[in-house]
Amino acid sequence: MTLSTFGFIFTGILLNAIAQLLLKAGTRAVGAIHLNADNWLQTGLTLATQLPIIGGLACYVLSVVVWIIGLSRVDVTIAYPMLSLGYVVNAVGAVWLLGEHLSWQRMLAIFIILCGVALLARS
């Protein structure tokens, strides 16, 4: 995999991870969502007006464009497992930006993911 191809793949992964963090930030502003027949429209409108959610959706769209470029250059058997890096980026971002806790089990899982991605990248 060339550096530019890896750049497209990793940029797609980063944008996807940023989208997740923005969506979570937007839901924090709204609170726990409990949908029912009476509130689904109002809840949808409330969510649709949250700037972090709008930003998260925009990041998703951009990540798909970048991802398609990356996929055009590398086998899906290489690219798709690289999405696992999104778990790592999201975990670090959630701790750093959202104040979430990272247990030792989660840290071990992240280490295993990183080992798998490193092995995959060398193939």
Side-chain angles (χ1 to χ4, degrees):
M1 177 180 332
T2 67
L3 187 57
S4 67
T5 300
F6 180 77
F8 280 109
I9 296 294
F10 193 67
T11 300
I13 293 165
L14 283 178
L15 286 166
N16 191 292
I18 291 167
Q20 286 294 321
L21 294 168
L22 285 169
L23 293 176
K24 178 60 179 177
T27 60
R28 278 189 166 186
V30 173
I33 298 170
H34 303 282
L35 289 178
N36 58 49
D38 298 326
N39 73 353
W40 69 268
L41 181 59
Q42 181 58 43
T43 301
L45 291 172
T46 301
L47 290 171
T49 59
Q50 295 296 312
L51 288 179
I53 290 179
I54 294 168
L57 293 174
C59 283
Y60 266 138
V61 170
L62 189 55
S63 77
V64 168
V65 172
V66 172
W67 186 254
I68 289 170
I69 294 168
L71 279 178
S72 74
R73 299 173 178 206
V74 70
D75 292 343
V76 73
T77 56
I78 299 291
Y80 193 70
M82 291 268 186
L83 284 173
S84 305
L85 290 174
Y87 295 119
V88 178
V89 173
N90 272 318
V92 172
V95 169
W96 184 48
L97 299 170
L98 303 174
E100 294 185 9
H101 174 69
L102 208 56
S103 67
W104 71 267
Q105 292 101 331
R106 292 178 187 175
M107 287 189 278
L108 178 60
I110 288 169
F111 175 75
I112 292 169
I113 289 169
L114 289 172
C115 289
V117 170
L119 184 62
L120 178 71
R122 296 185 62 134
S123 67

